[in-house]
Amino acid sequence: MGETVIPLADLRYAAPVPAIPADLTAPNGLLADRLGRPLRDLRISVTDRCNFRCSYCMPKDVFDRDYVFLPQTSLLSFEEIARLARIFVAHGVQKIRLTGGEPLLRKGLEGLVEMLSELRTPDGAPLDLTLTTNGSVLARKAKALSAAGLKRVTVSLDALDDVVFRRMNDVDFPVADVLDGIAAAQSAGLGPIKVNMVVKRGTNDHEIVAMARHFRHSGIVLRFIEYMDVGGSNGWRMDEVLPSARVLDLLRAQWPMQALDASMTGETAERWRYADGAGEIGLISSVTQAFCRDCNRARLSTEGKLFMCLFATAGHDLRTLLRQGRSDAEISAALGQVWAGRDDRYSELRAAQPADRGAGQRRVEMHYIGG
Ligand code: SF4
């Protein structure tokens, strides 16, 4: 009998099974955490696999040929995901974002989208159902995803130049195919489309103006994301962070810009528009302008571990509750208790964090819980 290979994810992230409160009625309904933040936004990772090796998320030297990804058996089924989503929605979730790894690599994803698109908030409104993708297979999938009920997509694109693009994602994939995916998503009505560019000083920051120029007058919102110390594998250094204020300076040197108000509480991007009406951009500044005070996001990993923060070191195992045959009321009460106990605000505290948080205190990897 060969030795059992335990996926790193199982080894790496402690996730105790949440206790079921004796009183199943409390907390119930809309929730608030210890900092008074409601639960509004659920990010669901549907796979830990990806066909890119972006240096800030899945560097090739770590996620190499020998890396052991999660076996199919440990992934939540679409029915399990939809059941959990229904419980989260009853607690106030209004927006669900499907992520990965690369979510479009999960077979039959349209089926899950269909299930989630049938959910309604307690006051009967449809969910804001969206998805983040690297765009590699979007051109083939956009129409079916839209038909299944997906509302919007966000596409990650870190450069227009193929050489720079390869330096960021470490695979040989043409930018043109990602742009085709974006065009297909636009034709399928999956908008307003957002494009996310992670800016790494010294690698792709010289592409900022070219990217902005490309998406002006397109109706697509281009967002610049500060390079973050997510996980424990990307070798993050502060001197590779280009502060968003600097990005804005570069854009203002080209075009007059006007600040816009946030479109909703908890929005991660600071919004700006071109004064000449050519569209909107966003700045996501987790490093230099933390936005934890309104953070209303929970993250569910592909095998059912719930994380309270992108920089968490441990989760809460909801899969075991599901597979133990627990009732919706029990899982709902357990979830309510977990959220009520939440006080995460890593980005606000980042500067005070010790560089080495000690063995076993690894931050969760982004490919595992989505951005
Ligand atoms: S660092 Fe954590 S708490 Fe702060 S905004 Fe990000 S996910 Fe939310």
Side-chain angles (χ1 to χ4, degrees):
M1 251 317 267
E3 188 202 347
T4 310
V5 177
I6 302 175
L8 273 181
D10 278 1
L11 287 173
R12 203 177 272 183
Y13 309 121
V17 179
I20 310 274
D23 175 0
L24 292 185
T25 62
N28 214 339
L30 302 184
L31 299 172
D33 71 10
R34 288 168 64 184
L35 305 180
R37 300 168 295 186
L39 171 54
R40 283 281 179 278
D41 182 338
L42 176 62
R43 300 184 175 198
I44 304 175
S45 169
V46 295
T47 179
D48 62 341
R49 296 164 193 254
C50 187
N51 53 348
F52 285 8
R53 287 292 178 273
C54 300
S55 58
Y56 51 85
C57 175
M58 283 181 94
K60 206 180 255 182
D61 57 341
V62 176
F63 300 93
D64 56 16
R65 292 179 194 289
D66 303 326
Y67 185 83
V68 180
F69 288 99
L70 291 162
Q72 192 66 25
T73 48
S74 66
L75 306 190
L76 291 184
S77 68
F78 291 162
E79 290 71 19
E80 288 174 323
I81 293 174
R83 184 176 164 209
L84 283 178
R86 202 174 56 247
I87 295 169
F88 276 89
V89 170
H91 276 306
V93 162
Q94 298 171 349
K95 176 176 162 185
I96 289 183
R97 178 178 296 280
L98 298 176
T99 66
E102 171 48 42
L104 299 185
L105 296 183
R106 177 95 185 243
K107 283 200 184 57
L109 191 70
E110 297 81 1
L112 174 62
V113 169
E114 213 164 314
M115 291 181 199
L116 297 176
S117 69
E118 283 154 14
L119 296 178
R120 293 288 177 271
T121 62
D123 56 10
L127 292 179
D128 176 11
L129 185 53
T130 181
L131 176 147
T132 301
T133 171
N134 63 22
S136 57
V137 293
L138 185 56
R140 277 189 276 135
K141 300 252 178 183
K143 226 173 171 179
L145 289 165
S146 174
L150 191 69
K151 298 279 183 296
R152 305 182 289 120
V153 287
T154 297
V155 181
S156 307
L157 179 63
D158 298 326
L160 289 173
D161 177 281
D162 277 324
V163 175
V164 183
F165 190 47
R166 194 177 312 126
R167 228 179 276 143
M168 290 294 285
N169 64 28
D170 221 352
V171 292
D172 225 349
F173 196 89
V175 170
D177 289 10
V178 177
L179 295 175
D180 287 350
I182 293 170
Q186 260 187 319
S187 330
L190 289 171
I193 293 174
K194 296 178 179 172
V195 167
N196 284 352
M197 175 186 185
V198 172
V199 178
K200 203 171 171 184
R201 190 201 289 260
T203 305
N204 68 338
D205 52 319
H206 60 289
E207 286 258 298
I208 289 169
V209 172
M211 285 279 284
R213 186 167 288 117
H214 179 88
F215 288 107
R216 276 169 51 83
H217 300 291
S218 68
I220 290 169
V221 178
L222 175 60
R223 289 124 50 98
F224 301 95
I225 303 181
E226 288 181 345
Y227 171 41
M228 293 181 283
D229 51 336
V230 284
S233 308
N234 66 9
W236 184 82
R237 297 199 328 261
M238 187 61 197
D239 62 8
E240 291 185 302
V241 175
L242 187 75
S244 291
R246 184 75 192 99
V247 173
L248 190 58
D249 290 345
L250 290 170
L251 299 179
R252 279 181 151 152
Q254 303 288 325
W255 306 282
M257 308 290 297
Q258 293 164 340
L260 289 170
D261 294 333
S263 55
M264 73 191 108
T265 307
E267 181 159 33
T268 54
E270 186 191 315
R271 302 170 62 214
W272 290 81
R273 65 181 293 275
Y274 297 105
D276 63 3
E280 183 182 328
I281 64 108
L283 301 168
I284 300 178
S285 322
S286 163
V287 178
T288 61
Q289 295 162 48
F291 37 79
C292 303
R293 76 189 168 288
D294 294 324
C295 178
N296 52 22
R297 291 172 288 283
R299 292 172 170 85
L300 188 64
S301 73
T302 187
E303 95 287 17
K305 291 177 184 165
L306 178 65
F307 292 85
M308 295 292 106
C309 172
L310 177 59
F311 300 89
T313 55
H316 307 266
D317 178 4
L318 299 184
R319 182 185 65 188
T320 298
L321 295 179
L322 286 169
R323 296 190 180 173
Q324 278 175 348
R326 295 288 183 172
S327 69
D328 283 5
E330 288 174 313
I331 298 172
S332 171
L335 166 62
Q337 190 160 263
V338 168
W339 186 265
R342 176 188 186 238
D343 61 358
D344 297 68
R345 52 194 185 99
Y346 174 83
S347 286
E348 278 177 8
L349 302 172
R350 178 185 278 107
Q353 301 283 347
D356 170 16
R357 298 174 68 169
Q361 286 287 304
R362 282 187 71 103
R363 288 188 293 277
V364 62
E365 296 289 351
M366 191 154 74
H367 80 103
Y368 174 71
I369 55 164

